Amino acid sequence: MVQHATFPEHRVYETMLGGRKLKVELGKMAGLSNGAALVSFGDTTVLTCVTMAKAPRDGIDFFPLSVDFEEKLYAVGRIPGSFLRREGRPGEKAILVSRMIDRQIRPFFPSDMRNDVCVNCTVMSVDYDNSPEIPAMLGASIALSVSDIPWRGPIAGIQMGYTEEEGYIVCPNSQQRKNSRLQLTVAGSMEKVVMIEAGADQFPDDMMLTAIKKGHEVIQDLIQFIRNIKAENFKEPAVYPSMKVSEEMFEAVKGYAMNAVKEAVDTDDKTVRDARIDAITADVNEHFAEEYPDSAAELGECMYKLQKYVVRRLILDEGKRVDGRGLTDVRPLAAEVGVIPRVHGSGLFTRGQTQVLTICTLGTLRDAQELDTTFEETEKRYMHHYNFPSYSVGEARPARSPGRREIGHGALAEKALLPVLPTVEEFPYAIRTVSEVLSSNGSTSQGSICGSTLALMDAGVPIKAPVAGISCGLVTEGDRHITFTDIQGIEDFFGDMDFKVGGTKQGITAIQVDIKNDGLTYEIIEEAFEKTRNARLEILDEIMLPAIPAPRAELSPYAPKMIKLTINPDKIREVIGKGGSVIQKITADTNTKIDIEDDGTVCIAAINTADGEKARQMIEAIAKDPEVGDLYYGKVTRIMNFGAFVEIAPGKEGLIRINHLDNRFVEKVEDVLNIGDETWCKVIEIDEKGRINLSRKQALKEMAEKAE
């Protein structure tokens, strides 16, 4: 006998967001997870499941949180393009969304918990008017809130846009996103902002702060909505083994080593500082070996806490940073361009011990990256890749493929430069910049923004304005806070915030904010904007613009030269030829690369201009129907008794009769032309059958007159 399944715990909750319905379903799916929520925003649906391991893994000394935003192409009615016809490793966009959700929720887990926690957001359906990022962010908060996983939420996140016509827009739809000057994702608790991610078209600081405030108002309503859901589905938090070291052990280590740690961190050289701390750590382990046997991990945690305590107390109590800088001082800067031969453009940017070399490469539009994703974007014309080799931090590790951190940092620099790039019509190239981190002591992503600007300008890319990047740090204690400019590694590690801002003199182009506390007040955000703006202008005026004041007027001799023209779309088939035979012959004869769009736009890439012009003439000759009076430079293909057949364009031939070969009497065609010869000829007749008659005699006369 068949029994029908029932779902007595199934509950549905609805609210409105940005004028559209937001629906949350609980209790029907993924019942074995610690918590699950099916969130629909319009017709975009994301299933989020959260799970926690019952016990920590042996030897683990950090909180192992993993967030996965999983794109399923069935969500947009597509079969994957891979050989296996199934989804492979996460795409760049999926990784970026995963990182964004991670940054929102991580600060709200207990600091002493070491159990693995997994958050899986599976995109089930996509309606392009409603971004899947929104139900994924909300789903993570809801699933954690209704689970038994210890977590101090809820929080909520939304997107904001801005157009001149509509002003600030909550969760913009597809068309609004295309027209928006702002792409802001903001998350918050009821009281504070916990995450900011933005791309913008040189957006003023005050307008960005207004967008954040307006977004936070909507977030507060969503949090109340989630609180109501949590109240009806409450679970007691699970008990976990605390990895917090004893206060007695920490006070003992602090009393023994604090003065030594204060002296050790007082240097602007990361290598020296690390060596000093390693020596103190070894001494601490030896000194407390008898008192705390088999406690190396706990003593290591005490040393971490002690360094954090010292660095934060120096800033809070003395207004002093470990390298002696003032709170708004930027580390020593340097910028160079043209440092690598033969590449299309290069820029070297140095800030303290952080150094980034960026290389720019120009290619044809065919080199744009194709994307297999659930998002609307199908290709990328501008690509920025970020590499972080182990030698940049003085470590000996074999090279590996880019991880999530590298992808995230590369995407931030890419986002910062996108608003200032020329349009395809202005500059018909695909553009790739690669940032090689040569040395790292904090803010390498912002160094990549500066290096990318230098490399693009060195390559002759006509960017609208140079972009610089800088970060702002934070230390808080109760109601007190201190912000400071240009954080180095140790300040990032032990501080409460890494507020990264890229922008031009006119405004912001990108933001990414990481926090380790319970959130940021508007006052802190406003201070961060002011400090980063002042530092950005200083970097641009004093370092970058003196190195290269404007994009180079000419491209590198090694870069492809682009010629762009438009032909009648009806002629595309003739230009391409059967099986691509015609276009392949043109590219082979002229040593060029040619891209043809469906609208008739033709882009020719050539190493030298002469080859490009030759290809252009050949394409125009095919695409343009010959007319009486047109001049052509063609190749003899056949010799007959009565004349020579000349190919004036691929697939198009005309006849030069013997009496039109020369001004003098010609007895045999071979006395003037042979197969394979190239010659000027003029169209003198097109008969009713479309046959073309040519005259070499008239063409030579006309060419001679032009020469005079």
Side-chain angles (χ1 to χ4, degrees):
M1 180 178 177
V2 175
Q3 293 185 350
H4 294 275
T6 59
F7 303 97
E9 301 299 320
H10 183 218
R11 292 189 175 97
V12 179
Y13 304 87
E14 294 183 356
T15 188
M16 299 299 291
L17 176 59
R20 283 154 283 172
K21 184 167 71 174
L22 179 76
K23 183 171 75 170
V24 177
E25 295 184 65
L26 304 177
K28 188 174 182 178
M29 298 183 182
L32 295 181
S33 63
N34 292 73
L38 185 70
V39 181
S40 299
F41 185 38
D43 284 340
T44 296
T45 302
V46 177
L47 174 65
T48 300
C49 302
V50 295
T51 49
M52 183 178 76
K54 291 180 173 57
R57 285 176 276 156
D58 290 338
I60 198 160
D61 60 354
F62 63 94
F63 171 50
L65 170 67
S66 64
V67 179
D68 290 296
F69 177 86
E70 299 181 6
E71 294 183 278
K72 303 297 184 181
L73 288 183
Y74 56 67
V76 288
R78 295 213 325 262
I79 295 174
S82 67
F83 178 78
L84 296 175
R85 292 295 185 266
R86 67 178 298 157
E87 289 81 6
R89 59 171 291 179
E92 182 177 292
K93 182 68 175 178
I95 289 172
L96 297 177
V97 177
S98 299
R99 282 172 50 87
M100 183 175 62
I101 295 172
D102 184 302
R103 297 204 313 276
Q104 297 173 32
I105 64 176
R106 184 179 289 272
F108 294 87
F109 287 95
S111 61
D112 59 338
M113 190 167 81
R114 298 294 181 265
N115 300 53
D116 281 83
V117 173
C118 293
V119 178
N120 296 88
C121 305
T122 305
V123 181
M124 317 291 287
S125 172
V126 173
D127 156 19
Y128 286 135
D129 275 336
N130 303 291
S131 172
E133 296 166 75
I134 296 171
M137 289 187 290
L138 297 174
S141 179
I142 294 167
L144 285 167
S145 295
V146 302
S147 76
D148 62 346
I149 299 174
W151 190 65
R152 299 191 311 276
I155 61 169
I158 63 161
Q159 293 175 331
M160 294 290 294
Y162 179 88
T163 66
E164 303 298 338
E165 298 77 17
E166 300 181 72
Y168 295 97
I169 306 168
V170 176
C171 298
N173 61 32
S174 176
Q175 190 57 49
Q176 289 169 329
R177 287 196 296 270
K178 291 174 183 175
N179 298 332
S180 179
R181 285 186 59 197
L182 172 68
Q183 298 83 42
L184 168 67
T185 303
V186 58
S189 63
M190 188 64 83
E191 298 80 19
K192 297 179 181 179
V193 174
V194 302
M195 195 282 303
I196 304 169
E197 177 108 16
D201 186 5
Q202 303 186 70
F203 214 60
D205 292 10
D206 58 340
M207 293 179 66
M208 184 68 78
L209 183 59
T210 299
I212 292 169
K213 289 180 177 180
K214 287 182 177 294
H216 193 217
E217 291 173 3
V218 178
I219 284 168
Q220 290 169 331
D221 292 337
L222 286 171
I223 290 174
Q224 188 57 55
F225 172 67
I226 299 173
R227 283 179 173 176
N228 294 338
I229 295 174
K230 179 178 180 179
E232 291 187 20
N233 300 271
F234 178 76
K235 292 180 183 177
E236 284 291 341
V239 177
Y240 62 91
S242 172
M243 297 298 172
K244 188 175 183 179
V245 297
S246 73
E247 217 37 56
E248 177 191 349
M249 181 186 292
F250 174 68
E251 288 298 327
V253 172
K254 176 182 169 185
Y256 177 76
M258 187 169 76
N259 289 336
V261 170
K262 287 182 71 173
E263 292 178 8
V265 300
D266 188 14
T267 176
D268 61 357
D269 191 320
K270 177 180 181 293
T271 305
V272 171
R273 184 186 305 116
D274 290 347
R276 290 173 178 174
I277 292 296
D278 287 345
I280 295 170
T281 301
D283 179 50
V284 165
N285 286 334
E286 182 179 351
H287 179 80
F288 290 101
E290 291 186 9
E291 186 175 354
Y292 299 110
D294 302 320
S295 298
E298 290 81 359
L299 289 170
E301 181 70 14
C302 288
M303 278 298 297
Y304 167 83
K305 287 183 61 177
L306 181 56
Q307 292 175 72
K308 183 174 182 177
Y309 176 84
V310 167
V311 171
R312 293 171 69 88
R313 294 263 52 99
L314 283 172
I315 293 172
L316 285 167
D317 298 340
E318 304 177 32
K320 180 181 177 182
R321 303 171 70 173
V322 294
D323 56 5
R325 279 185 293 150
L327 296 177
T328 59
D329 291 343
V330 178
R331 288 171 289 174
L333 299 164
E336 296 178 57
V337 294
V339 294
I340 304 295
R342 299 188 73 87
V343 299
H344 300 164
S346 59
L348 180 66
F349 183 79
T350 305
R351 184 193 290 125
Q353 288 184 304
T354 291
Q355 186 177 61
V356 180
L357 172 65
T358 302
I359 309 296
C360 177
T361 306
L362 304 178
T364 68
L365 295 176
R366 189 186 304 168
D367 294 321
Q369 182 183 4
E370 295 183 3
L371 303 175
D372 203 13
T373 176
T374 58
F375 291 85
E376 286 184 277
E377 189 180 30
T378 57
E379 68 173 22
K380 285 169 58 174
R381 170 190 168 226
Y382 174 58
M383 300 150 277
H384 178 267
H385 295 146
Y386 166 104
N387 295 317
F388 192 83
S390 60
Y391 63 74
S392 67
V393 287
E395 296 179 358
R397 285 184 283 105
R400 57 182 177 84
S401 59
R404 292 192 169 198
R405 180 181 181 277
E406 286 86 349
I407 290 171
H409 281 21
L412 176 60
E414 181 179 291
K415 187 182 295 184
L417 272 299
L418 270 173
V420 301
L421 292 178
T423 64
V424 173
E425 291 71 27
E426 295 168 329
F427 194 71
Y429 288 84
I431 308 166
R432 181 186 185 228
T433 51
V434 179
S435 290
E436 306 287 356
V437 178
L438 307 182
S439 180
S440 171
N441 188 15
S443 294
T444 54
S445 63
Q446 303 308 285
S448 298
I449 293 174
C450 299
S452 295
T453 295
L454 296 171
L456 288 165
M457 294 172 74
D458 185 48
V461 179
I463 60 175
K464 299 171 188 174
V467 182
I470 194 72
S471 62
C472 178
L474 170 74
V475 171
T476 58
E477 184 179 63
D479 294 333
R480 293 178 61 201
H481 76 268
I482 292 180
T483 57
F484 42 93
T485 307
D486 181 27
I487 62 174
Q488 59 176 307
I490 192 171
E491 293 168 334
D492 182 12
F493 203 49
F494 297 130
D496 293 323
M497 175 182 80
D498 183 3
F499 199 115
K500 299 182 276 281
V501 181
T504 66
K505 290 184 177 182
Q506 288 71 40
I508 294 169
T509 58
I511 302 175
Q512 187 179 94
V513 180
D514 300 327
I515 67 164
K516 300 184 182 73
N517 62 0
D518 63 349
L520 309 177
T521 63
Y522 298 150
E523 180 186 1
I524 292 172
I525 296 170
E526 192 168 11
E527 283 184 29
F529 281 155
E530 181 182 1
K531 284 183 167 61
T532 54
R533 181 179 65 253
N534 292 338
R536 188 168 79 232
L537 298 181
E538 179 184 339
I539 293 167
L540 286 168
D541 287 335
E542 298 185 19
I543 300 298
M544 293 175 64
L545 291 178
I548 182 166
R552 298 199 188 279
E554 295 183 0
L555 302 181
S556 162
Y558 304 104
K561 308 302 181 294
M562 288 291 189
I563 298 174
K564 191 174 181 181
L565 65 148
T566 302
I567 63 173
N568 186 336
D570 294 338
K571 296 291 183 179
I572 293 175
R573 184 185 297 273
E574 294 179 40
V575 174
I576 294 175
K578 186 177 181 180
S581 58
V582 174
I583 198 71
Q584 289 171 11
K585 185 175 187 303
I586 296 173
T587 57
D589 290 347
T590 59
N591 192 31
T592 58
K593 290 183 179 180
I594 301 172
D595 293 328
I596 304 177
E597 303 293 333
D598 292 340
D599 64 356
T601 300
V602 181
C603 288
I604 303 167
I607 296 300
N608 63 71
T609 304
D611 285 343
E613 282 298 322
K614 184 177 178 183
R616 181 185 64 78
Q617 291 172 4
M618 294 173 74
I619 291 171
E620 287 181 338
I622 300 170
K624 179 180 178 294
D625 291 327
E627 296 179 1
V628 173
D630 288 346
L631 284 171
Y632 290 96
Y633 191 70
K635 180 182 285 189
V636 178
T637 57
R638 290 180 290 159
I639 299 291
M640 310 297 287
N641 292 335
F642 50 83
F645 285 94
V646 177
E647 185 182 55
I648 59 174
K652 290 183 181 179
E653 280 189 338
L655 172 64
I656 306 177
R657 296 186 181 276
I658 195 167
N659 61 324
H660 277 279
L661 283 173
D662 209 335
N663 291 317
R664 60 183 176 83
F665 174 76
V666 177
E667 184 175 348
K668 288 196 316 179
V669 174
E670 289 87 342
D671 293 340
V672 179
L673 293 174
N674 289 286
I675 293 175
D677 288 349
E678 295 182 336
T679 185
W680 283 101
C681 49
K682 181 178 181 179
V683 179
I684 57 173
E685 182 187 21
I686 302 174
D687 66 18
E688 66 279 0
K689 294 183 178 181
R691 292 176 297 195
I692 302 169
N693 288 314
L694 306 168
S695 173
R696 180 174 180 271
K697 178 168 60 176
Q698 290 188 28
L700 294 176
K701 179 182 177 183
E702 188 169 325
M703 296 295 292
E705 290 173 352
K706 286 182 179 180
E708 294 176 0

